[in-house]
Amino acid sequence: MPELPEVEVVRSGLERWVCGRTVADVEVLHPRAVRRHLAGPGDFAAQLVGHRVGPARRRGKYLWLPVEPLGASAAPDRAILAHLGMSGQLLVQPQGSPDEKHLRVRVRFADAQATELRFVDQRTFGGLSLHETVPGDPDGLPDVIAHIARDPLDPAFDDEAFHTALRRRRTTIKRALLDQSLISGVGNIYADEALWRTRLHYDRPTASLTRPRTAELLLHIREVMNEALAAGGTSFDSLYVNVNGESGYFDRSLDAYGREDEPCRRCGTAMRRRPWMNRSSYFCPRCQRPPRATA
Ligand SMILES: [Zn+2]
């Protein structure tokens, strides 16, 4: 499953290699890849031809390309949403290079650049779909993901509103961090790492967080994400836009996740793992004290 750094690499590559180009032709090689476009593959292709692709956007792990008819001056009214699923890849490839074994959709452009956009997906959990955008949204946000909150690296993320929302919710902090309507882009691994850095137990009630504590947590979430981006962003300059769900970050710099029974890098206490919502939570029992049971 691609995490935010991989999706950001793809976004950046699309911005560089696809933005501003006009669609000449769309070939759907496997209908399952556009199954979320209910009007069918033929309609999907016909709707895109003659449209110009706008700047690639991302919200958390969601990626989209706004599209607009040639000559339009208003905000884009539709967008292609890319679901990468488990194994989806968006590749910009030289025209005429051999088709990938699991090539599902090919987009050709009406210009002299000899490259095309390909959606490749071995397991076909992913796909492309075309959506109306939220009216007037300058980024062309697809209406189907309008409920997804911004991620904390987004300049428009509102720290104060996030704190207020946390205080209002009757929930615990890790649940809140994985709630896409509050904050996006924080997966299980990032959550454990940021909570360890902030010395917060995953079951801490959000209503108990002070403003400075929330600020500290956001600081650490951003650090973790930026480090992951730095480690996973090496292919920004490559023509080959790729996502493979791997990130070097996860191998070497984790302080909490996957470290059960290993010494805490701060205090030396053995780290613990607890089952948590069909996943695991890793924490230091000394640095991250569980909340006291309320009387
Ligand atoms: Zn510790």
Side-chain angles (χ1 to χ4, degrees):
M1 182 78 77
E3 289 285 339
L4 184 142
E6 289 83 23
V7 179
E8 176 56 24
V9 169
V10 177
R11 190 206 64 75
S12 170
L14 290 175
E15 179 120 344
R16 177 163 180 185
W17 298 104
V18 176
C19 174
R21 302 177 73 183
T22 300
V23 176
D25 174 57
V26 179
E27 194 182 342
V28 177
L29 293 99
H30 196 306
R32 200 170 140 74
V34 296
R35 67 191 177 282
R36 292 180 183 88
H37 186 78
L38 300 179
D43 186 76
F44 178 80
Q47 299 275 347
L48 286 175
V49 170
H51 283 62
R52 189 176 53 212
V53 178
R57 300 292 184 196
R58 177 182 60 73
R59 184 168 279 199
K61 296 197 273 183
Y62 292 84
L63 179 71
W64 72 92
L65 291 166
V67 293
E68 57 189 14
L70 274 184
S73 55
D77 63 349
R78 279 184 299 170
I80 305 169
L81 183 62
H83 309 257
L84 298 175
M86 300 297 285
S87 57
Q89 296 175 295
L90 281 162
L91 312 174
V92 178
Q93 295 283 53
Q95 285 170 12
S97 65
D99 286 358
E100 291 73 14
K101 186 178 176 193
H102 303 290
L103 177 63
R104 306 304 185 199
V105 181
R106 183 200 324 271
V107 179
R108 295 191 183 90
F109 298 97
D111 53 48
Q113 295 182 50
T115 58
E116 60 189 31
L117 177 65
R118 297 180 182 181
F119 180 73
V120 175
D121 192 4
Q122 182 181 353
R123 299 174 69 180
T124 56
F125 291 141
L128 304 177
S129 52
L130 191 59
H131 301 277
E132 307 278 315
T133 60
V134 172
D137 187 278
D139 294 334
L141 177 69
D143 56 5
V144 290
I145 58 164
H147 62 287
I148 303 292
R150 293 180 187 275
D151 69 62
L153 298 182
D154 188 323
F157 185 89
D158 186 337
D159 290 19
E160 183 60 29
F162 176 66
H163 175 69
T164 306
L166 281 185
R167 295 276 305 190
R168 269 201 209 110
R169 298 260 177 137
R170 293 275 173 265
T171 187
T172 49
I173 187 58
K174 189 170 169 183
R175 280 174 187 265
L177 292 181
L178 271 66
D179 181 340
Q180 304 275 297
S181 69
L182 278 174
I183 186 171
S184 65
V186 185
N188 196 45
I189 299 174
Y190 296 142
D192 279 7
E193 293 299 306
L195 288 168
W196 180 83
R197 291 185 187 196
T198 318
R199 304 178 196 221
L200 275 175
H201 189 274
Y202 57 92
D203 263 346
R204 175 80 171 262
T206 55
S208 73
L209 289 178
T210 60
R211 190 171 275 107
R213 210 77 172 113
T214 303
E216 199 187 338
L217 177 60
L218 281 171
L219 174 79
H220 290 307
I221 291 172
R222 289 177 173 129
E223 277 177 7
V224 167
M225 284 184 163
N226 278 321
E227 288 166 18
L229 280 174
T234 49
S235 54
F236 271 63
D237 290 330
S238 165
L239 171 66
Y240 186 73
V241 183
N242 194 3
V243 59
N244 57 17
E246 300 292 331
S247 170
Y249 172 73
F250 296 134
D251 299 334
R252 47 188 182 82
S253 29
L254 297 181
D255 290 316
Y257 192 86
R259 298 198 65 241
E260 184 178 20
D261 294 333
E262 292 178 47
C264 168
R265 293 205 171 110
R266 207 162 30 217
C267 74
T269 305
M271 300 286 292
R272 294 207 181 132
R273 178 178 69 87
R274 290 282 178 276
W276 185 84
M277 290 179 74
N278 299 320
R279 298 180 237 202
S280 290
S281 279
Y282 294 88
F283 66 106
C284 168
R286 186 169 174 206
C287 297
Q288 298 165 269
R289 301 269 184 188
R292 283 178 214 94
T294 45

